[in-house]
Amino acid sequence: MTPAPLPLVPPPAFRLGAFLWKLVLTPGAALSGTVAPALRAALGPHLPPAGVEAVLALLCFVAMSGFVTVTALVLTLAERKVAAFFQNRKGPNRVGPWGLLQPIADVVKLLQKEDTVPRAADRPVFLLAPFMAMAATYMVLAVLPFDRGLAVTDLDLGVLYITAVSGLGVLSILMAGWASANKYSLLGGLRSAAQIVSYELSPALVVLSVVLFSGTLSVQGIVERQAAGWNLWAMGPMGVVGMLIYLTAGTAEINRAPFDLPEAESELTAGYHTEYSGMRFSMFQLAEFMNMFVVAALTATLFLGGWQPLGPLAALHIPGYLWFFGKSGAMVFVIMWFRWTFPRVRVDQLMTLEWKILLPLSFLNLIGVALWTALGMK
Amino acid sequence: MSLINLTAYGYAGFFFLAGIAFVVGGLAAAWVLRPSNPNPTKLDNYECGEVPIGSAWVQFHVGYYLIALVFVLFEVEVAFLFPFAGAFRLWADPWGPMAAAGVFIGILALADAWAWRKGALEWL
């Protein structure tokens, strides 16, 4: 008589871990392209098609607003903690454990600030500028691919759309700079506009080379094509050069150090948002933080495979949105790292870098990618 | 264009309004909480404590205009190159289209070289 085999019971700690892991996996699986069809099926019999889409759009708006708020809060704390890390100090550590509640305190403070509009200002334009800033940021966020099938919308002209609408942000800066009727604001706004406009060219050319290599303009399509290998190395040496150009020009496009001349506090006070206070000011700040995240996320999407896992690590079944946020977070860290590593450039150096170095380089890079693609097509 | 495509672009357009709605929400919350005690000094322009002299709306350097012009030249060029890049993998023989695009880029590179020599790219 053989004894019955003992039932295999994993230790409680392991079971807890497995349960938590399942929780992490579930939203990815549930959201990836299943929520929208399920909702469409559930609402379909009761509402006209336009009504169904309106409900879905509202849900997207609520979800995205939650995402924007949380990301902005995390980034403000991260910015200060990273700065502290590079300067060998502690950073915020009074409000909550490890300063975690600091962003909440900041929001409460900003909500209570008086909202002043200078007497000399061009009032309607002054009041409209923050709306324009957020609207431009939201339009880019609409096509960010968080996971397979998980984006507000997947346009077939996705990257062309991104190139187009990211240019809208400069309007808000010009509006704010002009309408404030402040000399600092005007100079900051104009400098900022010249800088953003210049630094839109080389990222556009790099995006063009990625499109050429991927053979699609859809953002999700570009991520799909990177299943075999991330563009960073799939495009050969041009991938590395392209990513460096994109990250450099992206940092300049969002007016961050070392390219933060429009907000150079020692010469222009606060640049285009000198006259803004309270919530209006924080809307600009929020848009800037989100733009930083967008640049990081697009670098990750175009060159680091977006939500695609890294080669053999696919066996771990880590959900795609964790890959996406991991890569974007790493890029955000690199952008913050720039700030504490490079001294601010002069305005003529800034223009020379774009027009005489990055722009010809990205043209050469585009030609290189075309040759690489043509040779690889056989 | 199919209906599905139009719906996708509808979402993109809706997100323009969504951004505005977000700011409305933030400002409405602040409107409930914030004080409002304007006084003449507070509503002056802030120039680090000095009383502002004259209007801020002055003439500024023509360099901004030149940069904007060269920008338009290149941005239009990039916009024209997007169809070429998007269709690149569809051609059986990529060398013909590549030569055509090379001529197109070459002409514009010539224009850029001229602008460079003219000093349009020198800042101020």
Side-chain angles (χ1 to χ4, degrees):
Chain A
M1 193 178 118
T2 52
L6 285 170
L8 251 169
V9 180
F14 180 82
R15 270 185 296 170
L16 180 69
F19 172 71
L20 288 178
W21 187 233
K22 225 177 186 170
L23 268 186
V24 174
L25 285 171
T26 323
L31 286 171
S32 302
T34 53
V35 170
L39 275 174
R40 281 203 179 95
L43 295 172
H46 310 290
L47 287 171
V52 176
E53 296 302 328
V55 170
L56 283 178
L58 275 179
L59 283 177
C60 285
F61 165 59
V62 172
M64 188 55 85
S65 297
F67 168 74
V68 166
T69 314
V70 171
T71 314
L73 292 183
V74 170
L75 283 180
T76 51
L77 182 65
E79 172 91 294
R80 297 176 65 181
K81 278 289 181 187
V82 169
F85 168 66
F86 280 112
Q87 296 173 341
N88 199 12
R89 53 188 175 84
K90 285 193 161 89
N93 64 349
R94 294 287 127 174
V95 193
W98 203 69
L100 277 177
L101 298 178
Q102 184 70 46
I104 312 277
D106 290 345
V107 169
V108 172
K109 184 195 77 174
L110 283 168
L111 275 173
Q112 299 179 52
K113 288 283 175 190
E114 185 171 349
D115 182 15
T116 59
V117 181
R119 204 178 325 109
D122 186 342
R123 203 177 163 89
V125 183
F126 185 89
L127 298 183
L128 278 176
F131 290 92
M132 196 65 214
M134 270 323 270
T137 308
Y138 258 71
M139 283 185 90
V140 183
L141 285 174
V143 291
L144 272 196
F146 294 99
D147 201 343
R148 188 189 302 275
L150 185 62
V152 172
T153 173
D154 180 28
L155 302 178
D156 42 13
L157 290 175
V159 287
L160 184 61
Y161 168 84
I162 291 176
T163 314
V165 296
S166 61
L168 282 177
V170 72
L171 268 182
S172 72
I173 290 176
L174 273 178
M175 284 163 78
W178 178 262
S180 294
N182 182 318
K183 284 139 198 148
Y184 296 120
S185 300
L186 182 70
L187 287 176
L190 284 173
R191 270 196 195 177
S192 191
Q195 175 177 341
I196 294 178
V197 147
S198 304
Y199 278 89
E200 226 157 75
L201 291 171
S202 42
L205 281 167
V206 172
V207 165
L208 200 64
S209 68
V210 172
V211 167
L212 196 150
F213 181 75
S214 313
T216 172
L217 282 157
S218 145
V219 186
Q220 290 283 14
I222 287 174
V223 179
E224 295 275 0
R225 300 293 155 96
Q226 296 182 65
W230 297 358
N231 279 344
L232 182 60
W233 53 82
M235 282 161 71
M238 279 73 77
V240 182
V241 176
M243 178 170 157
L244 288 177
I245 296 175
Y246 193 85
L247 202 56
T248 313
T251 311
E253 211 185 335
I254 52 178
N255 292 332
R256 274 191 65 89
F259 308 108
D260 58 345
L261 301 147
E263 293 164 33
E265 55 272 28
S266 49
E267 36 183 308
L268 286 176
T269 319
Y272 66 91
H273 56 55
T274 304
E275 292 292 354
Y276 284 84
S277 67
M279 218 49 199
R280 278 182 216 282
F281 158 76
S282 48
M283 284 301 159
F284 276 118
Q285 207 66 9
L286 214 134
E288 266 181 26
F289 272 113
M290 285 322 290
N291 288 342
M292 171 165 71
F293 179 80
V294 164
V295 165
L298 285 178
T299 312
T301 302
L302 293 174
F303 292 99
L304 303 179
W307 41 258
Q308 297 276 10
L310 174 62
L313 294 182
L316 290 177
H317 295 293
I318 296 171
Y321 69 95
L322 286 185
W323 278 108
F324 174 81
F325 283 117
K327 290 169 189 174
S328 309
M331 286 300 111
V332 166
F333 178 75
V334 170
I335 293 176
M336 289 177 173
W337 188 355
F338 284 167
R339 178 171 173 184
W340 302 107
T341 308
F342 302 117
R344 184 182 291 145
V345 297
R346 263 193 345 246
V347 69
D348 60 320
Q349 292 170 333
L350 178 85
M351 289 299 172
T352 306
L353 174 68
E354 164 64 15
W355 290 98
K356 298 188 177 169
I357 300 172
L358 288 184
L359 192 59
L361 193 63
S362 41
F363 264 113
L364 289 178
N365 200 51
L366 176 67
I367 294 167
V369 172
L371 287 174
W372 177 271
T373 313
L375 291 173
M377 270 162 71
K378 291 289 159 280
Chain B
M1 189 183 261
S2 69
L3 186 66
I4 296 183
N5 270 339
L6 279 181
T7 312
Y9 283 91
Y11 275 89
F14 169 74
F15 257 57
F16 182 81
L17 300 179
I20 290 174
F22 184 87
V23 181
V24 170
L27 291 182
W31 183 72
V32 176
L33 291 171
R34 69 182 155 82
S36 179
N37 316 305
N39 66 51
T41 319
K42 204 186 274 176
L43 296 183
D44 269 345
N45 276 108
Y46 176 72
E47 295 193 356
C48 304
E50 297 289 330
V51 178
I53 299 173
S55 168
W57 294 322
V58 293
Q59 286 192 318
F60 42 87
H61 201 277
V62 70
Y64 293 101
Y65 178 64
L66 291 180
I67 287 288
L69 275 185
V70 186
F71 162 75
V72 170
L73 167 87
F74 277 100
E75 194 72 344
V76 170
E77 172 176 12
V78 170
F80 278 137
L81 280 172
F82 260 99
F84 159 74
F88 192 78
R89 278 185 184 272
L90 301 179
W91 284 301
D93 171 33
W95 300 107
M98 241 172 93
V103 171
F104 179 67
I105 294 176
I107 293 172
L108 281 148
L110 213 62
D112 186 40
W114 181 79
W116 191 325
R117 239 191 105 193
K118 273 292 210 187
L121 307 186
E122 303 299 327
W123 185 250
L124 305 190

